[in-house]
Amino acid sequence: MTNNTNKRPARAGARGFTLIEVMVVVAIVGVLAAVAYPNYMRHTQRASRANAQAVMMETAQFMERYYSANNTYVDAALVSAVVPKGASGTAVRYNVTFSVTPTAAAYTVRAVPANAQSGDSCGTMTLAHTGAQTAAVAGCW
């Protein structure tokens, strides 16, 4: 008597993916990625822009507190020179500066897009001591 328990079953019932099925899945993933990636990039640019605006508003609040204590904006400093705070190298999305050196009665904070943010349609944003907000495109603030 022979033992047939170690023999493999015939390949007729084998399961797996055909090359065509794999190629269809790859094509579908490619289409989804082509749609999702630009939306993701726009979302990250909007988030970085909102972060820059928050830093500018925080700087404006600091400037007003400084003015209340010193009756001048002269010698006041920025809250952060980059967005996001503490970033360096390619992680910097905006460089924050004063448009001109603050005077006794006026200042203007400017955020210039950098690195991955440089393609943002809003461009350079400013915030003046009067609260005036400007950008290259209306609706960015």
Side-chain angles (χ1 to χ4, degrees):
M1 215 192 242
T2 60
N3 187 358
N4 290 336
T5 57
N6 291 336
K7 291 186 177 180
R8 291 185 175 198
R11 297 276 305 162
R15 294 182 166 211
F17 297 108
T18 66
L19 181 59
I20 298 296
E21 291 171 330
V22 172
M23 289 176 61
V24 167
V25 169
V26 169
I28 290 171
V29 169
V31 168
L32 290 175
V35 171
Y37 185 71
N39 288 332
Y40 170 75
M41 292 307 295
R42 280 193 297 275
H43 173 74
T44 57
Q45 283 188 335
R46 280 194 313 266
S48 293
R49 186 181 324 126
N51 195 2
Q53 292 167 347
V55 167
M56 293 171 71
M57 294 298 285
E58 187 178 357
T59 299
Q61 291 170 357
F62 169 77
M63 296 296 286
E64 295 308 319
R65 287 192 306 271
Y66 187 90
Y67 185 85
S68 295
N70 301 296
N71 204 29
T72 183
Y73 295 117
V74 176
D75 295 330
L78 292 167
V79 172
S80 176
V82 294
V83 173
K85 290 180 184 178
S88 63
T90 59
V92 173
R93 297 295 180 248
Y94 282 91
N95 291 309
V96 181
T97 61
F98 289 115
S99 292
V100 294
T101 304
T103 65
Y107 69 88
T108 302
V109 179
R110 173 178 56 194
V112 180
N115 300 318
Q117 196 70 20
S118 61
D120 188 18
S121 61
C122 289
T124 300
M125 299 181 295
T126 61
L127 176 62
H129 68 285
T130 61
Q133 304 164 335
T134 61
V137 176
C140 287
W141 272 89

